Amino acid sequence: MTDITLYELPGCPFCAKVRTKLEELNLEYHIVQVPGARNERTEVEAISGQTGVPVIVDEAHGVEGMAESSDIVAYLEETYGAGA
């Protein structure tokens, strides 16, 4: 069972950036594909306070609804990568 959940939209380059980092670090994660229409993204909005993606949740480290791909990649590297 994985503690990391990635909320993403297919074809989103920022989401792909986060997926690349997750795979680079060999981390298991669960994907939740959000609807294309922003007004239908109620689940990701409830978690992060906004409708943009990507968003991650990392239950093992108390991260609930981190947004912005650059911030997520830096967090993953610091928490699970060489900086861990």
Side-chain angles (χ1 to χ4, degrees):
M1 175 97 181
T2 179
D3 292 324
I4 299 174
T5 301
L6 170 63
Y7 291 82
E8 70 164 20
L9 184 64
C12 165
F14 302 106
C15 300
K17 177 180 174 180
V18 172
R19 284 182 91 169
T20 297
K21 180 52 73 173
L22 286 162
E23 291 167 11
E24 179 183 299
L25 295 171
N26 294 315
L27 296 172
E28 290 185 24
Y29 59 99
H30 175 71
I31 295 172
V32 176
Q33 291 189 352
V34 301
R38 285 184 176 265
N39 64 338
E40 295 177 9
R41 298 179 190 174
T42 54
E43 184 177 358
V44 76
E45 186 174 21
I47 291 166
S48 67
Q50 48 93 44
T51 58
V53 288
V55 168
I56 67 161
V57 173
D58 184 356
E59 293 178 19
H61 291 91
V63 173
E64 297 179 12
M66 178 182 286
E68 300 298 328
S69 61
S70 295
D71 293 343
I72 295 169
V73 167
Y75 162 78
L76 292 170
E77 185 62 42
E78 183 178 305
T79 306
Y80 297 103

